Amino acid sequence: MEKEILDHRLHINRRHFLSKLSLGLGSAALGSLLIPDLFRGNDLSGDGIGQLGIPHFAPKAKRVIYLFQNGAPSQLESFDYKPKLREMWGEELPESIRMGQRLTGMTSSQNSFPLVGSFSDFQQYGEARAWISDLFPHTAGIVDDICIIKSMHTEAINHDPALTFFQTGAQQGNRPSMGSWLSYGLGSENSNLPAFTVLLSKGKGNGQGVYSKLWNNGFLPATHQGVQFSNGEDPVLYLNNPNGMRSSERRKMLDHLAALNQLSFEKSGDQEIQAKIAQYEMAYRMQSAVPEATDLSREPKHVFEMYGEDSRKPGTFASNCLLARKLSESGVRFVQLYHQGWDQHGNLPSEMAVQAKDVDQPSAALIKDLKQRGLLDETLVIWGGEFGRTNYSQGKLTKENYGRDHHPRCFSIWMAGGGVKPGMVYGATDEFGYNITENPVHVHDFQATVLHLLGLDHERLIYRHLGRKFRLTDVSGKVIPAILT
């Protein structure tokens, strides 16, 4: 009888604590344990494809900072110079160029597709003589440190599936994000900090939302979910002890909770119970590590000046870039930034100028800062959005104003550090900026290359779920050796 009561109490306690996970300490650490040796030595899926926590081969990069420009910045006003569009301003997009390719519902009903060149001028910079828009003067200053890829393409033509595709390798959602895959495959460099963190900022342009599914662990263990840092007084919500609770009391509570959960694990064999224990422990360690890792007050004046005046304002893109450097320097494996406001269907000249000003200086400063600290060689930095923009105007075209619709056929991103060739332009598009003419790079190719730089074979980083072997690159993707050092 006593044993039955004990079993009942264990069940109630476990159910109570796990049901409250989203409200308490465990929620703060959802995502990233990681106790370094928790999974080391376990064979992935039992298929002889490698061991968790150990790269498949020598990595070029140890960590990633991904500066995602949410909403899709126009390649035609940034890194893909097309003077032909200025020459043919207002003329119809030739059918021989479009070739009946898919349009969004926002422009498919237009009777006319007038070509429009960039309102901004371009200049050539660096040894590669790369064309950079005047909207990005600071990026032009680091052109010899970055690799511009002008031939990205995707199947997704709307924001949510396109963004989800980039982050998870699938358009439909409910899949692990890239940061989660890296947390799963490589673990953490710092047992007191999450392996995967997320920072959000908003520009002044037309915004597209970002959702927690983008840093979700999907079917991977919950310990690999990303941890969102806020710009408030508490960087991670619910991390601190409640009023009146001392650290020693919290320690005792966690020890008792771990014992209860361990008994339940021994009875059920549910691996998620072990993950919950690890999450609570990570949250406890984060209580002392996070405040220090997110404290920018000790940064010298010249560093703030390098990132720009907004770097002193928490929650801005500039501040998040500086924070990303600090988190990465502290051993966070994957730091994901989302900057919203790039969806210029109209008023592109005015809105994009403001957006570019928000991100240009801090993005370039991050590269300079990592380089001067000797960290760029081991840190992969990525800058770009979910697709490109059309070469024709959406809606009314005037001399002073126009907009651009979504264009998945070709767009530009840049990468730097972590084994990527610097001072390089890869890929090319036609003179209309509509189709790729050289070296196409699919989203899965990009993902395969990122994993490769971190020492992971994208075909071997696998998780078995519902009877199928899943991976970030699904059933395709190839590494792009031409951009690797």
Side-chain angles (χ1 to χ4, degrees), residues 420-455:
V420 173
K421 281 184 181 178
M424 180 181 185
V425 176
Y426 184 79
T429 60
D430 61 29
E431 60 183 349
F432 290 89
Y434 199 91
N435 295 298
I436 294 171
T437 57
E438 294 178 15
N439 301 320
V441 179
H442 186 263
V443 173
H444 285 319
D445 301 335
F446 160 78
Q447 292 163 338
T449 303
V450 170
L451 292 181
H452 178 87
L453 288 167
L454 286 134

Side-chain angles (χ1 to χ4, degrees), residues 119-413:
F119 75 94
S120 63
D121 292 324
F122 280 69
Q123 306 293 330
Q124 286 181 289
Y125 298 90
E127 294 184 6
R129 307 307 297 155
W131 289 98
I132 307 290
S133 165
D134 289 352
L135 296 178
F136 296 88
H138 295 277
T139 303
I142 59 162
V143 71
D144 285 332
D145 294 310
I146 67 177
C147 172
I148 300 172
I149 301 175
K150 297 165 64 175
S151 52
M152 287 296 307
H153 65 100
T154 180
E155 291 85 30
I157 200 170
N158 290 310
H159 292 288
D160 186 88
L163 177 55
T164 305
F165 193 29
F166 250 101
Q167 298 305 310
T168 71
Q171 297 185 42
Q172 68 270 32
N174 300 317
R175 297 284 185 88
S177 65
M178 189 186 302
S180 296
W181 278 110
L182 289 176
S183 173
Y184 167 70
L186 296 176
S188 176
E189 287 192 293
N190 186 334
S191 62
N192 297 325
L193 287 172
F196 175 21
T197 63
V198 179
L199 304 171
L200 308 181
S201 59
K202 290 185 178 181
K204 300 178 180 65
N206 186 25
Q208 285 292 325
V210 292
Y211 315 100
S212 59
K213 70 175 183 178
L214 298 173
W215 50 94
N216 187 29
N217 57 291
F219 44 70
L220 294 177
T223 50
H224 303 299
Q225 182 171 331
V227 176
Q228 182 184 343
F229 280 28
S230 73
N231 58 11
E233 185 175 341
D234 296 324
V236 182
L237 298 179
Y238 310 114
L239 183 63
N240 294 326
N241 293 330
N243 292 334
M245 175 174 278
R246 296 190 298 271
S247 181
S248 59
E249 294 173 332
R250 172 65 74 178
R251 180 67 268 167
K252 290 180 182 178
M253 184 275 289
L254 290 175
D255 289 342
H256 288 304
L257 176 61
L260 289 169
N261 278 327
Q262 184 62 31
L263 288 173
S264 294
F265 171 71
E266 292 171 0
K267 184 177 180 179
S268 69
D270 184 355
Q271 293 294 330
E272 278 299 297
I273 298 175
Q274 293 283 58
K276 302 308 180 187
I277 295 172
Q279 287 171 354
Y280 281 121
E281 290 299 321
M282 166 56 82
Y284 182 77
R285 295 194 301 275
M286 284 170 62
Q287 286 183 328
S288 59
V290 166
E292 180 180 353
T294 58
D295 181 13
L296 302 181
S297 64
R298 297 181 183 178
E299 294 292 327
K301 180 180 178 182
H302 74 271
V303 170
F304 284 111
E305 291 175 346
M306 181 168 60
Y307 281 86
E309 60 182 26
D310 279 353
S311 61
R312 296 184 181 275
K313 304 173 185 176
T316 62
F317 181 78
S319 178
N320 284 349
C321 281
L322 179 51
L323 180 56
R325 188 271 296 167
K326 202 167 188 303
L327 290 171
S328 182
E329 189 176 30
S330 299
V332 175
R333 179 78 65 186
F334 194 95
V335 185
Q336 176 77 67
L337 279 68
Y338 291 102
H339 187 64
Q340 302 165 72
W342 287 101
D343 195 20
Q344 279 79 50
H345 290 273
N347 301 316
L348 186 147
S350 58
E351 286 192 11
M352 187 162 177
V354 173
Q355 284 291 114
K357 186 176 181 181
D358 278 347
V359 306
D360 178 43
Q361 182 174 349
S363 298
L366 176 61
I367 302 301
K368 294 177 183 177
D369 201 3
L370 289 169
K371 189 175 182 179
Q372 71 183 9
R373 293 169 185 271
L375 296 172
L376 185 59
D377 287 344
E378 61 186 36
T379 307
L380 175 63
V381 181
I382 306 165
W383 191 103
E386 62 265 40
F387 41 58
R389 291 284 165 176
T390 57
N391 60 3
Y392 59 82
S393 177
Q394 177 178 343
K396 185 178 180 179
L397 170 63
T398 70
K399 286 290 186 181
E400 295 77 26
N401 201 12
Y402 58 90
R404 297 191 189 276
D405 198 8
H406 310 165
H407 188 65
R409 297 289 300 178
C410 59
F411 57 104
S412 302
I413 68 170

Side-chain angles (χ1 to χ4, degrees), residues 463-483:
Y463 191 87
R464 189 184 292 276
H465 176 65
L466 297 177
R468 177 190 165 187
K469 297 176 184 178
F470 285 87
R471 68 188 206 215
L472 174 62
T473 53
D474 196 32
V475 295
S476 59
K478 60 183 184 298
V479 176
I480 309 299
I483 69 170

